[in-house]
Amino acid sequence: MNTTVKRFGLLILIMVISLKIEAAIPHLEVHGSAVQLVVKDKPMLLLAGELGNSSASSANYMAPHWARLQRMHLNTVLAPVSWELVEPEEDHFDWQSVDSIIKAARAHDLKLVLLWFGAWKNSMSTYAPSWVKRDESRFPRAQLPDGRGEDILSAFSPALRDADAHAFAALMMHLKQVDQNDNTVLMIQVENEMGMLPVARDYSEAAAQRFNDSVPPLLIHKLDALSAGSRLRELWQAHGAKQQGSWPTLFGDGDAGAEVFTAWYYASYAESVAAAGKAVYPLPMYVNAALNRTGKAPGEYPSGGPLPHLLEVWKTAAPSIDLLAPDIYFPNFVDLATVYKRKDNALFIPEANHVGNPQIPANAFYAFGKLDAIGFGPFSVESVDDSQPNVLVDAYAVLEQLSPAILANQGMQRMSGFKPRVLENGTVIDTPVTETIGAYTFTVSFVDNQSPKDQQDTASHGGIIIQTGAEDYLVAGQGMIVTFSPADATQGSAGIDYAWEGAFDTHGHWMNGRRLNGDQTHQGRHLRLAPGKFQIQKIRLYHYY
């Protein structure tokens, strides 16, 4: 074989190996109408929890928590990585805090989503290194209208952007070197809850100059394509729907227009950081949002973050960001989560309220079953005492068993999640919900029929229904009464052929418990998943005339 042929063959081999290595990186794939996170060529459902902000900074502090997190049926931990710890001196990196997290996670068979606390965390800049904080001439602060500086670094500083991106790229290079073969780290959060406080925009000199620059044509093109009724489009149209002009010319000089301006430049900054990291090691990346309440003005919440009314701005300015993810601490989980489930945005909820909130389990079932979420994680998860009865532990135990069935059916219209809708003011809409799955229509009531309603926390009731065969279904959750009828009304009525209480073992094999009948199914009239006890029932339906 001549030398040229040998070299060509070697080149092909190197290309094939490179492609296999690239394919091994955790990545997002379309599955039906859903998007899934694929890890080592298999889809993965993230049963996650986020650590408190400072917990991961100390290996000693975290040491007693890892085993407990594993026992809680988590498979993924969201852990902060702070810029100040990994680059304490400019261009001198210390990876001890990162490596200790990765080592501990591997030892307990857990995956990680790392949260880059760079220039901002909860809008503020407290996680930046001292050499950044103390050099205001190089790294200027955002300013209030009266010229006073905030403890917020300015997004209009090229030096800050470049330093942040440089540190982030160094992190990604380190992860590539120590983790590419193991895939312990699955995704990266870029910054944390970005947004301007306590006013709608930065009033520094650099920001003022940009405010009077022309709006980028790319954003105008996006506005042109938005459907009628979009809040962003209406704001643009209110000022003449011009094709060019400054930010105040196109969006007005009030808070609403200032927030669009802020969103564009925060998103552009996040794009620079994410693109620098992806050029080194292209893990999936997301930015999280601190959400706004109704009636609050920009600046009363972090102005310009990836909020529901600003998603188009972020999608346009930050194409390297794979997901925009809501941190949901308000009661209206269903409404808020639904906004972030889009064709161009898979749902991931990194902070799904504080870990002790009783509605979290029902929200998790709903997110996975109804909205095809790739992951769900309550905040401060290490604070849970798993030696006591805990609804999150019980719920995650069931979701862990159901993960293969959920992943197989995401995006295939063979599954749905159920929970009462709760309004922003806390009002619970617990009227029954009806959905057709396969050949049967299911009506789910969240009020248990064996105890007084005023003694039930119906907002915490909920679950999931998964079709596994023509007439076969898994029904799981707690606090639900489920009735059914043929989807085709000409096929008479529906009955229960059989219903088994049971569980899946660690190999995914179903193990029958009680055969439910008589009083347990109200003589074949319904399924009952009692409040306070997460369970799975495997059922087969039939129709009769």
Side-chain angles (χ1 to χ4, degrees):
M1 186 180 295
N2 64 44
T3 303
T4 301
V5 172
K6 286 182 178 179
R7 287 176 177 172
F8 182 73
L10 180 60
L11 178 61
I12 294 296
L13 179 61
I14 291 171
M15 290 173 65
V16 169
I17 292 172
S18 297
L19 287 172
K20 286 184 177 180
I21 290 173
E22 243 351 86
I25 297 173
H27 60 280
L28 301 173
E29 280 188 13
V30 173
H31 186 260
S33 62
V35 174
Q36 296 180 326
L37 179 66
V38 176
V39 182
K40 291 190 178 295
D41 298 322
K42 294 181 179 179
M44 181 175 178
L45 204 67
L46 304 190
L47 303 180
E50 183 169 323
L51 300 178
N53 299 153
S54 301
S55 299
S57 65
S58 168
N60 288 335
Y61 179 87
M62 280 301 301
H65 294 294
W66 291 105
R68 186 164 72 253
L69 296 175
Q70 184 184 34
R71 290 196 302 269
M72 289 170 60
H73 301 280
L74 275 72
N75 59 25
T76 305
V77 175
L78 280 63
V81 171
S82 63
W83 187 6
E84 63 179 344
L85 289 182
V86 302
E87 194 181 11
E89 297 180 32
E90 187 168 7
D91 225 17
H92 289 79
F93 292 96
D94 180 350
W95 302 116
Q96 183 177 350
S97 60
V98 176
D99 291 342
S100 69
I101 298 169
I102 294 174
K103 180 180 178 181
R106 286 177 184 163
H108 293 88
D109 197 25
L110 291 165
K111 299 295 186 181
L112 292 170
V113 173
L114 296 183
L115 319 179
W116 175 243
F117 285 9
W120 301 287
K121 189 270 171 188
N122 290 66
S123 298
M124 311 307 286
S125 298
T126 54
Y127 283 81
S130 295
W131 57 270
V132 172
K133 292 177 183 176
R134 292 175 176 273
D135 192 348
E136 289 191 61
S137 60
R138 185 178 169 198
F139 305 112
R141 302 300 179 105
Q143 293 181 3
L144 300 177
D146 63 7
R148 285 182 296 138
E150 288 287 284
D151 198 6
I152 299 174
L153 292 163
S154 177
F156 297 90
S157 166
L160 175 69
R161 177 199 63 208
D162 294 346
D164 197 348
H166 175 67
F168 185 69
L171 169 65
M172 299 309 294
M173 176 59 75
H174 183 72
L175 294 179
K176 182 176 183 178
Q177 292 169 346
V178 303
D179 190 55
Q180 182 165 322
N181 293 330
D182 292 286
N183 290 173
T184 302
V185 180
L186 306 178
M187 293 200 302
I188 304 290
Q189 178 183 289
V190 180
E191 311 297 336
N192 180 270
E193 294 188 353
M194 298 169 74
M196 181 64 190
L197 295 171
V199 290
R201 71 173 180 89
D202 180 357
Y203 284 84
S204 66
E205 182 179 350
Q209 290 175 354
R210 294 291 182 88
F211 194 52
N212 289 304
D213 285 348
S214 293
V215 174
L218 195 62
L219 179 57
I220 300 302
H221 179 73
K222 173 64 74 172
L223 293 172
D224 252 338
L226 289 178
S227 59
S230 162
R231 180 173 163 186
L232 188 60
R233 182 181 174 90
E234 288 178 353
L235 179 64
W236 175 56
Q237 289 181 323
H239 293 85
K242 302 176 182 67
Q243 296 299 312
Q244 59 183 354
S246 67
W247 293 91
T249 300
L250 269 61
F251 295 101
D253 56 4
D255 283 351
E259 185 178 29
V260 178
F261 165 77
T262 300
W264 179 266
Y265 283 101
Y266 270 124
S268 298
Y269 184 108
E271 168 64 18
S272 296
V273 174
K278 280 195 166 183
V280 176
Y281 186 39
L283 288 178
M285 297 183 185
Y286 71 95
V287 175
N288 62 331
L291 298 174
N292 54 313
R293 279 189 179 275
T294 302
K296 296 294 184 181
E300 294 181 297
Y301 58 83
S303 172
L307 300 160
H309 60 287
L310 298 169
L311 293 181
E312 304 299 344
V313 178
W314 275 81
K315 287 290 182 183
T316 306
S320 296
I321 300 297
D322 299 284
L323 308 174
L324 300 174
D327 291 346
I328 304 179
Y329 290 89
F330 302 145
N332 50 328
F333 177 89
V334 168
D335 296 342
L336 293 170
T338 300
V339 172
Y340 285 83
K341 162 64 175 175
R342 299 165 32 131
K343 290 182 179 179
D344 63 352
N345 199 76
L347 180 64
F348 177 54
I349 306 171
E351 295 181 39
N353 218 317
H354 293 282
V355 69
N357 187 287
Q359 295 180 30
I360 283 176
N363 291 344
F365 279 97
Y366 188 88
F368 289 126
K370 179 69 174 178
L371 302 177
D372 294 324
I374 64 173
F376 180 96
F379 180 69
S380 192
V381 69
E382 79 279 17
S383 65
V384 167
D385 181 358
D386 74 330
S387 66
Q388 303 296 322
N390 182 278
V391 291
L392 178 66
V393 176
D394 296 340
Y396 268 20
V398 167
L399 286 168
E400 181 181 49
Q401 296 174 54
L402 292 175
S403 288
I406 292 173
L407 289 165
N409 288 286
Q410 280 187 326
M412 308 305 290
Q413 288 70 56
R414 296 192 295 257
M415 172 176 70
S416 194
F418 299 85
K419 70 150 290 172
R421 181 179 175 223
V422 182
L423 304 184
E424 189 178 28
N425 65 6
T427 300
V428 181
I429 311 297
D430 55 16
T431 53
V433 173
T434 298
E435 286 208 35
T436 296
I437 306 172
Y440 292 90
T441 296
F442 296 83
T443 299
V444 176
S445 171
F446 306 104
V447 180
D448 187 62
N449 59 5
Q450 295 191 22
S451 61
K453 182 180 178 180
D454 61 5
Q455 296 178 17
Q456 301 178 41
D457 178 17
T458 56
S460 69
H461 293 181
I464 192 170
I465 298 176
I466 307 170
Q467 183 182 14
T468 58
E471 296 182 305
D472 298 331
Y473 296 85
L474 297 171
V475 183
Q478 60 101 12
M480 301 196 307
I481 302 292
V482 184
T483 56
F484 22 79
S485 61
D488 181 352
T490 66
Q491 293 190 336
S493 300
I496 301 172
D497 186 343
Y498 62 72
W500 284 101
E501 185 179 68
F504 291 95
D505 66 18
T506 56
H507 301 290
H509 301 135
W510 175 257
M511 301 179 296
N512 284 335
R514 295 184 299 168
R515 176 75 170 241
L516 302 176
N517 210 324
D519 293 342
Q520 280 65 53
T521 62
H522 193 34
Q523 324 312 319
R525 295 184 181 94
H526 66 224
L527 303 175
R528 176 177 180 255
L529 286 78
K533 180 185 178 182
F534 287 92
Q535 60 175 292
I536 307 172
Q537 294 182 16
K538 183 178 182 181
I539 68 167
R540 176 169 291 173
L541 301 178
Y542 74 102
H543 67 271
Y544 62 92
Y545 296 95

